[in-house]
Amino acid sequence: MAIITPKPMSGFPELLPEQQRVFNRCIDIIRRNFELSGFTPIETPSVERKEVLTSKGADEKEIYALARLFAGEGESPDTEFALHFDLTVPLARYVALHKEKLVFPFRRYQIQKVWRGERPQKGRYRELYQCDIDAIGRGSLGLLNDAEMPAVIHRIFTEMGIGDFVIRINNRRLLQGFYHWLGVSADHIADTLRTVDKLEKIGRDKVVAELVARVQLDEAIAGQILDFVADDRPVDALLTHLASLPAMSDALFAQGVDELRTVAAGVRSLGVPDSDFTIDLRIARGLGYYTGTVYETKLLAHPELGSICSGGRYDDLASYFTNEKLPGVGISIGLSRIAIALIEAGVLKTDAQTPSRVLVTVLDPSHMSDYLRIASSLRTAGVACEVYFEKGRVGDQLKYADRKRIHFAIIAGEDEFAAGRLKLKNMRTGEESTGSLDEIVNLTTSDR
RNA sequence: GUGGCUUUAGCUCAAUGGCAGAGCGCCUGACUGUGGCUCAGGAGGUUGCGGGUUCGAAACCCGUAAGCCACCCCA
């Protein structure tokens, strides 16, 4: 029989055990911190009806549809379902469906896989984890929710130890107001936002060229826009400067500046140090539905990964599913992107290939019931362990423990059982100690 | 969807058109109550796949697939 190649599809990442453990630890940190800020878990199905997914005008090339491999006579193998490509659209449907049972503001988190029909590249996958939090209001939603998103993210990234990062905050109202004040026509504003968003990637000259050639802005105006957004003074100085600009005569601009000031103050009070967040007028987010605050997060040591966490404020989450106005603000961590890249870069350190902390070696199979009892006692004490059930000398068994980087081995044979004293070997130090079962269990719970 | 580059052992990579190799990893033994270190030995390849040129192809040509990168878009 021909061997089927065991290689997974590119873009559908798969981890080795020690990597998976790091990845899961990241998920644990994210979940704990989401809950610490009062966000409640929900999970939506991996598939939605196609019409739900395309409601926001998503790029249909990005969506994987579900089909059966075979269809009966007169049946179509196609289904009306497709895999979700983000968690925001499903959230909108969920909230619209359950709004009479939910209490608003609704604060939920969701950690699930999503699928995108993309050409994979570094940091870009076709199957990936997204970790979203959103706060949804009914009719209205307080502005300080916008400050909470970066605060939660800051706690998570700090705890994960992913290295220095900067959460960049901006406000789309401010940008729109500014462009309006400059005289950019309404139907060119979205295009302008999107083009300026590329600044970091393609550089000032190309952005100006594109603004002039494609968006048909006056070159002088394009230049003014770029001077405006490239302003990188510190938060307070920038806010003061913005408030002094003649563009303050534009109501939208003034509102944006005001919102940004409130959000920045909130972020600071929620414990994010000034070194870790900034107001960056360059970011706009490509997505059209953001209306106010927007976020992007950059890893200083890995700028090539792009934004590892982004989001923003939207006026109306679920306009396709209900007439009721549901404004919200949310942020999403691209966990697969961060974790896989940082594991490969060695920033997130991998450890043992197993959760087992202790290996119970088997020297004398006639005492198997004793070995099993030892394992049971360890587990009752909360110590992860396993028994070596295979044929093998002590050397083989210790080698097994060594390769899986199991911290301790319990070694007991005829002599130990006769004396009622077990031997515990610390695999890291090589040090051995003896004691009763209880004493040994105790030793494995202490650090070292 | 468009373009560029790449594909040789599990991994990283050599091999001027002339015997397909190294390092690391893996397995066995030295070592039947003690892992890592060392030493000795071993396994592992239709050179991505299909065709062509040639006395002879891993190498050159055509096709195809996959991978990487860039665009697009985005986490």
Side-chain angles (χ1 to χ4, degrees), chain A residues 242-261:
Chain A
L242 289 172
S244 72
L245 291 175
M248 284 298 282
S249 63
D250 183 281
L252 206 53
F253 181 84
Q255 188 189 345
V257 172
D258 204 43
E259 288 183 359
L260 207 44
R261 184 185 299 113

Side-chain angles (χ1 to χ4, degrees), chain A residues 6 14 44 58 72 83 86 176 205 210 212 217 231 276 326-327 335-336 348-349 352 406 413 434-435 445:
Chain A
E14 170 172 277
T44 59
L83 291 167
D86 77 355
Q176 284 167 339
D205 294 348
E210 204 171 314
V212 172
L217 296 189
D231 196 329
D276 295 353
L326 302 168
L335 179 59
S336 300
L348 293 176
K349 297 263 187 292
I406 298 176
T434 58
T445 58

Side-chain angles (χ1 to χ4, degrees), chain A residues 31 34-35 39-42 107-111 132-133:
Chain A
R31 175 175 293 121
F34 282 173
E35 298 203 353
F39 292 84
T40 195
I42 69 165
R107 297 155 72 84
R108 83 85 174 83
Y109 76 90
Q110 221 169 324
I111 301 175
D132 281 26
I133 42 172

Side-chain angles (χ1 to χ4, degrees), chain A residues 172 175-197 207 210-218 221-222 225 284:
Chain A
R172 276 174 67 126
L175 294 179
Q176 284 167 339
F178 186 75
Y179 299 157
H180 177 254
W181 176 79
L182 275 178
V184 178
S185 72
D187 44 335
H188 283 156
I189 285 184
D191 220 0
T192 305
L193 285 170
R194 184 181 287 258
T195 307
V196 173
D197 200 43
V207 170
E210 204 171 314
L211 284 176
V212 172
R214 204 168 50 76
V215 190
Q216 298 179 329
L217 296 189
D218 196 83
I221 292 196
I225 287 175

Side-chain angles (χ1 to χ4, degrees), chain A residues 47-83:
Chain A
V47 296
E48 297 281 350
R49 289 200 315 283
K50 288 174 187 169
E51 58 177 4
V52 169
L53 293 177
T54 55
S55 60
K56 274 213 159 80
D59 186 352
E60 300 193 18
K61 285 192 299 189
E62 292 259 308
I63 301 177
Y64 285 115
L66 235 55
R68 296 179 297 160
L69 289 180
F70 295 102
E73 190 101 5
E75 287 183 323
S76 164
D78 295 334
T79 71
E80 59 180 317
F81 307 121
L83 291 167

Side-chain angles (χ1 to χ4, degrees), chain A residues 193-416:
Chain A
L193 285 170
R194 184 181 287 258
T195 307
V196 173
D197 200 43
K198 297 182 188 172
L199 178 56
E200 239 180 333
K201 201 163 191 175
I202 64 177
R204 180 188 167 111
D205 294 348
K206 284 184 179 166
V207 170
V208 170
E210 204 171 314
L211 284 176
V212 172
R214 204 168 50 76
V215 190
Q216 298 179 329
L217 296 189
D218 196 83
E219 187 157 357
I221 292 196
Q224 263 183 287
I225 287 175
L226 287 171
D227 291 341
F228 172 71
V229 300
D231 196 329
D232 58 358
R233 49 191 112 189
V235 171
D236 292 327
L238 184 55
L239 285 168
T240 306
H241 170 70
L242 289 172
S244 72
L245 291 175
M248 284 298 282
S249 63
D250 183 281
L252 206 53
F253 181 84
Q255 188 189 345
V257 172
D258 204 43
E259 288 183 359
L260 207 44
R261 184 185 299 113
T262 304
V263 171
V267 166
R268 201 176 266 150
S269 302
L270 284 167
V272 182
D274 276 39
S275 55
D276 295 353
F277 82 99
T278 171
I279 291 176
D280 191 328
L281 300 175
R282 278 170 297 206
I283 67 160
R285 310 295 306 134
L287 293 178
Y289 54 77
Y290 291 124
T291 51
T293 311
V294 287
Y295 320 98
E296 275 191 16
T297 309
K298 195 168 63 168
L299 269 181
L300 294 185
H302 295 271
E304 77 283 359
L305 283 179
S307 178
I308 56 168
C309 173
S310 7
R313 158 76 72 145
Y314 36 88
D315 274 344
D316 196 0
L317 173 71
S319 59
Y320 294 94
F321 308 108
T322 172
N323 289 324
E324 193 157 2
K325 196 159 189 191
L326 302 168
V329 60
I331 198 161
S332 173
I333 302 175
L335 179 59
S336 300
R337 169 174 289 187
I338 308 171
I340 295 172
L342 295 188
I343 287 170
E344 275 170 13
V347 176
L348 293 176
K349 297 263 187 292
T350 58
D351 184 28
Q353 244 185 54
T354 167
S356 286
R357 185 167 168 81
V358 180
L359 177 72
V360 181
T361 63
V362 173
L363 266 61
D364 182 354
S366 71
H367 278 281
M368 187 53 83
S369 61
D370 291 310
Y371 297 122
L372 298 180
R373 259 190 286 277
I374 293 168
S376 183
S377 299
L378 284 165
R379 289 167 186 166
T380 301
V383 178
C385 67
E386 61 188 280
V387 182
Y388 195 88
F389 291 131
E390 316 311 316
K391 282 195 179 29
R393 298 177 304 228
V394 197
D396 297 326
Q397 304 192 34
L398 291 178
K399 187 168 184 174
Y400 171 84
D402 183 50
R403 292 195 54 191
K404 284 202 175 174
R405 298 171 73 176
I406 298 176
H407 201 125
F408 294 104
I410 288 178
I411 302 171
E414 204 50 60
D415 302 346
E416 284 80 5

